[in-house]
Amino acid sequence: MEANIHQEQSTEFRKKHPPGLYLLFATEAWERFSYYGMRAILVLYLTATAVNGGLGTDKTTAISLYGTFTSAVYLTPIIGGYLTDRFLPRRTAITIGGVLMALGNFSIFLHQSMGALYLGLALLIIGNGFFKPNISTIVGELYHINDPKRDGAFTIFYMGVNLGAFVAPLVVGLMDYRYGFLTAAIGMVVGQVLFNALGNKYLGDIGKESAKKVQQHTQAVSKAPLTKQEVRRTIAIVILAVITIAFWTAFEQAGSSLTLFTEENIDRHLGDFIIPTEWFQSLNSLFIMLLAPVMSMLWFKLSQTKNGDFKTPTKMGMGLITVGLGFLVLIPAVVMVGDDSQVRVNMLFMVFTYFLHTLAELMISPVGLSMVSRLSPLKLTSVLMGVWLASSAVANKLASVLATYTQSLGYFDIFGLIGIVTIVLGVIVLFVSKPIAKLME
């Protein structure tokens, strides 16, 4: 009977994506609206004077605090994943995380002080630990293990991430910082209302029990050691997670050094209108929404060919090279600015950089999420998803350290270093992609 059910599910999944994917899409869109809304204004809020609605900290301190926050946001999913794998149902964890994140933004809105900021950031960090690894895992649970549309599904899900990330900077960029944080809190609440109101209808029983209970119900031997195949796959996940640290270190310059370069050196005039600096952070998300369906279709079409789709390590090598090229695009702009802080360069430099970074992201992030959900042993699924996200924790801190050096060494040295290192590493990954792919079999 169970075999027949799986056969029917597999046939259905080959026809179309389940409706639960679009509920998770909407939930993630609102969560990302909340996160990227506050992220877009965090450094600007910290560095703005009190008269202009900010806290008046210096740029180096602001960048360092930003890096610590974004690093911790990606570190706590390991703890949240551990708790979920053993004690909490995934859907409960998602709700706990959503409530905490809403409270975090609301506390920053209530009082303009470093104390309120630290409290709010702490709640956001803890809440994300519960939320982030579990919603990605539930996406994977919607699909049969060998469904060829899994990579495409995660790319569609990734569009939800970027729909929220696209709209948020546009909205908060038009208001005072304080109300930007309030708007982020409201976005989180809306997402949680949708998720809890429609979860039973579109997700059924998926995510209602902890992974430990699911293992017991399916008579999985949770105390048994990992098989050799599971060990090899786990090693592959960890190796690729380490590799992606270089990508995210480059990519996460968006909220710090790229934001400051845009503020200081990009000509943001469009006729008589001055484009808010925050709006440039929407470019990545706009390009994601335009390119994600194309990339999803490309991966699926390649999977139907004789040679099949590119292996995951190959895609990641290509992504590293592409993100490096994005930084090299900015080198002529930095040269044109020189030592004259009054010089402004054409905004197309930054537009093209974000375009290349978006292509790179689509080769790495949704593909990586799909890989982790597909290859992880059941009893380690949320933990390994947390490990995958933790690579971003390390990268975000490294990104902030590099960004602080732009204030002393200059943009030319840092952008050039990031570009060259990521391109070289990408070439190396392409050369070793076959043995890594072998571990994933």
Side-chain angles (χ1 to χ4, degrees), residues 71 74-78 241 245 384-396:
S71 174
Y74 287 102
L75 187 61
T76 50
I78 295 180
I245 290 174
L384 286 176
M385 187 65 75
V387 169
W388 181 258
L389 296 171
S391 66
S392 292
V394 177
N396 273 276

Side-chain angles (χ1 to χ4, degrees), residues 5-23:
I5 292 174
H6 283 304
Q7 186 175 3
E8 290 173 7
Q9 288 177 335
S10 181
T11 302
E12 177 65 16
F13 289 165
R14 280 196 292 269
K15 292 179 180 177
K16 60 182 180 179
H17 292 288
L21 174 64
Y22 300 101
L23 173 60

